[in-house]
Amino acid sequence: METGVFMEGKKNDFRDPPSPYWLASIAATDYPDLDRDISVDVAIVGGGIVGITAAYLLKEEGLKVAVIEADRILQGTTGHSTAKITSQHGLIYARLQKEMGEELARQYADANQSAIGLIAELSRKHHIDCDFSWRPAYVFTQSERYITDIEDEARVAAQLGIEAEYLREIPLPFAVQAALRFDGQAQFHPVKFLQALAEKIPGQGSAIFEQTAAVHLEEADGAVVVARNGHKVTASRVIIASHYPFFDGGGLYFSRIYQDRSYIVAVKIREAFPEGTFINAESPTRSLRSQNDENGELVLVAGEHHKSGHGGNTDTYYQNLVDFAAQTFTVEDVLYRWSTQDCMTVDGVPYVGNLTPQSPHIYVATGFGKWGITNGTAAAMVLKDLIVKGDNPWAQVYNPARLTLPSVKSWFIQNAHVAKDLITGKLQGLQENTEIPRGEARLVEIDGQRIGAYRDEEGQVHCVDTTCTHLGCELRWNAAEKSWDCPCHGSRFTYEGENVEGPAFLPLHHLEEEANQVEARIFS
């Protein structure tokens, strides 16, 4: 991107593809793929923060583990986060106390505070150079509407044992109506940290396998994970930590999870960024933190969320974040941008524990709701205890089988939206004009078939069947990420049809003959 002082309203063409700082600043891993059948104590599907941390903890307990990752480890949501290590998850504790009771709210607070401690402990123990630093965490509002909410949050957080203080101002260059500071919070480089933990997993019967997509789980006395290449991992316990569960097992997770997309820009500013991490209480979300880089200090500005597949012109969200940064600081450069997709549960608390009450040997961890660094670490701690000890002091609040009145209401709302998306997608009008500019996509009709056609920068057309291979919803084009996204459950595919994110794991049908027809129309 261009260099210079950025002012509000200065438009960016965003021609470079999105690239998260965490992945761009460190070399990717190169673990082998699964090329044989193996047997271990615990098979872990998913190489993000849950999978890697759980594998490390379980190996420390003397168990043989195998991590199976469809891509490279840490390339998914973990490598696209803001990487705040905090138990301050917006305004959550007053709501949890009201909806779930004080005991479960306390479990949630204790779990996330303990996760902060574990990350700090492992960083020290293994001398991991991961830019770990202690930072206070602030939630603030510029609206009078949220003053009482922040006052309630401060009171409940203090009752739950969190070092929380109500404030009237924060060290950012604008006035606020109210704020809350949590002390004893932190930040780090998540990929540096977790790559260092991952290095300690292989050996003594344990292993990490990359480029190995799990496509099925066979339930027996234990379980067998079947990879796309046909090889199998037999284990007495299986952890499904694949972001969105690749195997449902009758748990109806597709009806209890929706996916939400948010955006991040990393900017260089002229001013010094204050010590702390920050997020507002109102919408649109504005989240900020700094990160030391070899070229100086970066400021990560995040927010602008929407339900996956519903974003419209997705470049607009990046522009809005750049505008906010330019309103707040003297922005000299926009160095990185990326987006991330988070699984959201119907009551705002992750699902961690047995996949179903009838699956005592299969565990799941999903639905971290944009706070996956501490919740993901806590999930690994819970799963380790459930496997090794049979129980954990925080298991109840995360129990996937829980049921609350607010979650039932949210369930009906979310599934009504899915039904609407399914129907309206089938009825969506198609483009009559097949003129497609380079770098853009259109929905077209060829011989009565709905086709997604993308024209790359060289002029070549790529066509796919836009029916999602998960449950049949019609996909929508995501211009910023150059992907076809599902508005129902959040699956994503490249313009050539390869799967990017689940729950779908089968690719789209790539249509070469139809691509030739579209090209012929364009150039006729």
Side-chain angles (χ1 to χ4, degrees):
M1 297 182 189
E2 59 183 314
T3 300
V5 176
F6 282 70
M7 301 179 66
E8 179 186 358
K10 181 177 180 180
K11 300 303 179 185
N12 299 272
D13 59 14
F14 296 125
R15 288 196 175 274
D16 294 334
S19 175
Y21 170 77
W22 313 123
L23 299 178
S25 58
I26 191 169
T29 52
D30 189 25
Y31 292 100
D33 62 348
L34 181 65
D35 60 358
R36 64 194 185 281
D37 293 350
I38 65 169
S39 179
V40 292
D41 297 315
V42 184
I44 301 173
V45 180
I49 190 168
V50 179
I52 296 302
T53 306
Y56 168 85
L57 294 175
L58 288 165
K59 186 182 179 185
E60 289 286 290
E61 294 288 339
L63 299 179
K64 296 178 181 178
V65 300
V67 177
I68 306 160
E69 169 56 47
D71 191 4
R72 298 291 177 190
I73 63 169
L74 311 173
Q75 300 281 307
T77 303
T78 299
H80 289 72
S81 71
T82 57
K84 296 178 179 179
I85 310 173
T86 180
S87 60
Q88 185 192 80
H89 300 167
L91 302 179
I92 190 171
Y93 292 105
R95 179 181 65 80
L96 289 183
Q97 185 189 61
K98 178 181 179 181
E99 295 179 357
M100 293 186 170
E102 184 165 339
E103 172 55 31
L104 295 189
R106 187 179 303 279
Q107 287 184 23
Y108 188 88
D110 289 348
N112 283 278
Q113 285 289 111
S114 296
I116 298 171
L118 179 64
I119 294 171
E121 175 191 343
L122 294 178
S123 298
R124 289 192 303 268
K125 177 180 178 181
H126 297 298
H127 307 288
I128 301 175
D129 181 12
C130 60
D131 307 328
F132 180 96
S133 61
W134 295 102
R135 291 284 191 275
Y138 296 84
V139 59
F140 65 89
T141 185
Q142 294 181 286
S143 169
E144 292 183 357
R145 175 184 172 188
Y146 289 89
I147 294 175
T148 300
D149 292 334
I150 289 181
E151 290 174 342
D152 291 343
E153 188 76 359
R155 173 181 51 80
V156 174
Q159 289 175 357
L160 299 177
I162 297 171
E163 294 182 58
E165 182 179 356
Y166 179 81
L167 303 169
R168 292 286 187 180
E169 59 183 25
I170 59 174
L172 284 175
F174 49 74
V176 300
Q177 293 287 336
L180 173 62
R181 185 185 71 221
F182 281 18
D183 291 322
Q185 313 296 290
Q187 62 183 38
F188 70 158
H189 189 305
V191 178
K192 287 181 180 179
F193 173 78
L194 289 161
Q195 280 190 1
L197 281 193
E199 290 173 359
K200 303 183 182 303
I201 294 169
Q204 295 82 49
S206 295
I208 295 175
F209 298 103
E210 296 182 324
Q211 304 291 297
T212 302
V215 297
H216 185 58
L217 196 155
E218 299 173 354
E219 297 186 73
D221 293 337
V224 178
V225 177
V226 183
R228 183 172 294 163
N229 62 12
H231 291 299
K232 298 180 179 181
V233 180
T234 301
S236 58
R237 298 287 188 271
V238 173
I239 294 174
I240 299 173
S242 53
H243 183 59
Y244 198 112
F246 86 101
F247 176 78
D248 189 88
L252 300 179
Y253 286 91
F254 66 88
S255 71
R256 298 196 286 143
I257 295 172
Y258 68 96
Q259 299 208 59
D260 200 77
R261 198 152 200 87
S262 51
Y263 298 79
I264 303 174
V265 295
V267 302
K268 185 175 179 58
I269 66 173
R270 184 170 297 169
E271 302 87 350
F273 189 81
E275 183 176 286
T277 67
F278 304 85
I279 190 170
N280 63 343
E282 58 266 40
S283 292
T285 300
R286 295 291 180 259
S287 168
L288 301 98
R289 62 156 287 190
S290 62
Q291 171 65 29
N292 288 328
D293 178 60
E294 60 183 10
N295 297 317
E297 185 180 55
L298 300 177
V299 176
L300 277 54
V301 183
E304 291 291 314
H305 75 95
H306 60 82
K307 190 176 179 183
S308 298
H310 291 254
N313 183 354
T314 43
D315 275 337
T316 300
Y317 303 110
Y318 289 117
Q319 184 64 52
N320 290 343
L321 293 176
V322 173
D323 286 348
F324 170 76
Q327 293 168 12
T328 309
F329 309 105
T330 307
V331 176
E332 297 180 329
D333 204 358
V334 183
L335 298 174
Y336 299 91
R337 69 182 175 105
W338 67 94
S339 67
T340 188
Q341 191 156 292
D342 291 274
C343 287
M344 319 292 287
T345 67
V346 292
D347 62 6
V349 175
Y351 300 135
V352 182
N354 288 112
L355 183 70
T356 70
Q358 292 74 41
S359 304
H361 52 287
I362 303 174
Y363 304 86
V364 68
T366 188
F368 298 115
K370 304 181 189 293
W371 300 105
I373 297 300
T374 51
N375 266 321
T377 303
M381 299 165 77
V382 169
L383 295 172
K384 183 267 291 184
D385 280 355
L386 291 179
I387 290 172
V388 174
K389 303 176 183 178
D391 200 6
N392 174 274
W394 318 314
Q396 187 180 0
V397 69
Y398 289 118
N399 184 359
R402 67 182 181 271
L403 189 65
T404 64
L405 181 59
S407 71
V408 172
K409 291 180 179 178
S410 180
W411 183 89
F412 278 108
I413 293 170
Q414 291 301 329
N415 284 280
H417 288 168
V418 169
K420 179 181 177 182
D421 289 332
L422 180 61
I423 294 170
T424 57
K426 301 298 183 184
L427 300 177
Q428 183 180 359
L430 304 180
Q431 297 280 343
E432 294 183 4
N433 180 5
T434 53
E435 178 62 34
I436 306 174
R438 293 172 186 246
E440 296 186 19
R442 297 284 188 271
L443 283 170
V444 300
E445 183 175 342
I446 297 178
D447 298 330
Q449 183 178 6
R450 179 186 297 267
I451 303 295
Y454 169 73
R455 188 181 182 196
D456 65 27
E457 297 295 344
E458 285 70 45
Q460 182 179 354
V461 174
H462 307 262
C463 287
V464 295
D465 181 341
T466 57
T467 301
C468 183
T469 57
H470 177 226
L471 292 178
C473 288
E474 290 301 320
L475 306 175
R476 299 176 183 175
W477 179 246
N478 178 339
E481 312 293 328
K482 306 297 185 196
S483 63
W484 292 102
D485 296 359
C486 179
C488 295
H489 301 106
S491 297
R492 297 179 59 234
F493 305 85
T494 70
Y495 57 76
E496 292 186 319
E498 294 301 314
N499 180 256
V500 177
E501 292 192 66
F505 56 81
L506 293 177
L508 302 176
H509 187 200
H510 192 260
L511 307 171
E512 293 187 11
E513 182 178 339
E514 288 79 358
N516 293 333
Q517 293 183 48
V518 173
E519 284 188 352
R521 291 186 190 181
I522 290 174
F523 298 116
S524 62

